[in-house]
């Protein structure tokens, strides 16, 4: 493998992430309204959860991610062809997201700030969870059920992520 190619990390925004899925955050929600006698605001329908394909069902889990050290070499990606996968951080730590339209194309890297979750569309190529700075818990909504729902691929190019 030749010298690593550096990925530019950009802030996570709805528009930039749209080809890969949804950004889950209250800011900019299309629909928000008061509930519970006005004591709560509901930010409604923030992501499209896709889990029913081929007999699947949605499952809610907590993933505890160990912090990654930078610079980070990205040498593999995975995808879940049978369902979406949502990650909502349960703490204020930022985290990295690395996604690609196809493993043959250069990936993109995003930095999520406090209050931002993501939902990978079914079949989106991505790097496994990339916590920064501290052990971080994430509420995860994805698919349980029959069938192989995880494909992994080694990349032909070594990519380097720095901040």
């Amino acid at each position: 493998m030749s010298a690593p190619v550096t990925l530019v990390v950009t802030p996570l925004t709805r528009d930039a992430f749209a080809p890969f899925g949804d950004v889950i955050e209250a800011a900019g929600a299309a629909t928000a309204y008061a509930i519970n006698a006005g004591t709560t605001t509901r930010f409604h329908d923030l992501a499209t959860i896709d889990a029913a394909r081929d007999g699947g069902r949605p499952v809610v889990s907590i993933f505890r991610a160990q912090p990654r050290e930078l610079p980070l070499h990205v040498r593999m990606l995975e995808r879940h062809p049978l369902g979406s996968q949502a990650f909502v951080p349960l703490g204020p730590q930022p985290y990295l997201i690395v996604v690609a339209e196809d493993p043959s194309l250069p990936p993109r890297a995003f930095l999520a700030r406090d209050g931002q979750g993501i939902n990978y569309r079914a079949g989106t190529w991505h790097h496994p969870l990339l916590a920064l700075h501290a052990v971080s818990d994430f509420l995860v909504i994805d698919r349980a059920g029959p069938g192989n729902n995880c494909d992994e691929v080694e990349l032909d190019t070594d990519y380097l992520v720095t901040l």
Side-chain angles (χ1 to χ4, degrees), residues 61-110:
S61 305
I62 292 178
F63 287 17
R64 181 160 291 146
Q66 300 301 311
R68 303 294 186 105
E69 290 191 23
L70 297 177
L72 173 79
H73 289 269
V74 174
R75 297 182 175 119
M76 65 81 66
L77 295 173
E78 66 179 21
R79 70 175 176 180
H80 306 285
L82 300 179
S84 61
Q85 190 176 44
F87 291 86
V88 179
L90 297 177
Q93 293 295 333
Y95 62 100
L96 287 172
I97 301 148
V98 175
V99 290
E101 292 180 27
D102 186 88
S104 65
L105 299 173
R108 295 188 58 192
F110 297 98

Side-chain angles (χ1 to χ4, degrees), residues 7-29:
L7 294 179
V8 175
V9 178
T10 59
L12 179 65
T13 66
R14 287 182 199 279
D15 288 342
F17 194 73
F20 310 105
D22 309 299
V23 174
I24 301 170
E25 64 182 335

Side-chain angles (χ1 to χ4, degrees), residues 26-151:
T31 305
Y33 51 90
I35 60 172
N36 299 335
T39 62
T40 304
T41 301
R42 178 176 179 151
F43 300 93
H44 185 69
D45 198 14
L46 299 177
T48 301
I49 303 301
D50 173 10
R53 194 174 313 183
D54 293 345
R57 65 177 179 81
V59 63
V60 177
S61 305
I62 292 178
F63 287 17
R64 181 160 291 146
Q66 300 301 311
R68 303 294 186 105
E69 290 191 23
L70 297 177
L72 173 79
H73 289 269
V74 174
R75 297 182 175 119
M76 65 81 66
L77 295 173
E78 66 179 21
R79 70 175 176 180
H80 306 285
L82 300 179
S84 61
Q85 190 176 44
F87 291 86
V88 179
L90 297 177
Q93 293 295 333
Y95 62 100
L96 287 172
I97 301 148
V98 175
V99 290
E101 292 180 27
D102 186 88
S104 65
L105 299 173
R108 295 188 58 192
F110 297 98
L111 180 63
R113 66 180 186 281
D114 185 16
Q116 289 184 308
I118 54 142
N119 181 51
Y120 295 120
R121 196 171 283 117
T124 296
W125 289 101
H126 63 278
H127 193 279
L129 194 53
L130 295 169
L132 298 173
H133 311 306
V135 173
S136 300
D137 287 350
F138 291 79
L139 181 96
V140 177
I141 304 168
D142 61 354
R143 179 190 180 277
N148 179 17
N149 192 30
C150 187
D151 299 329

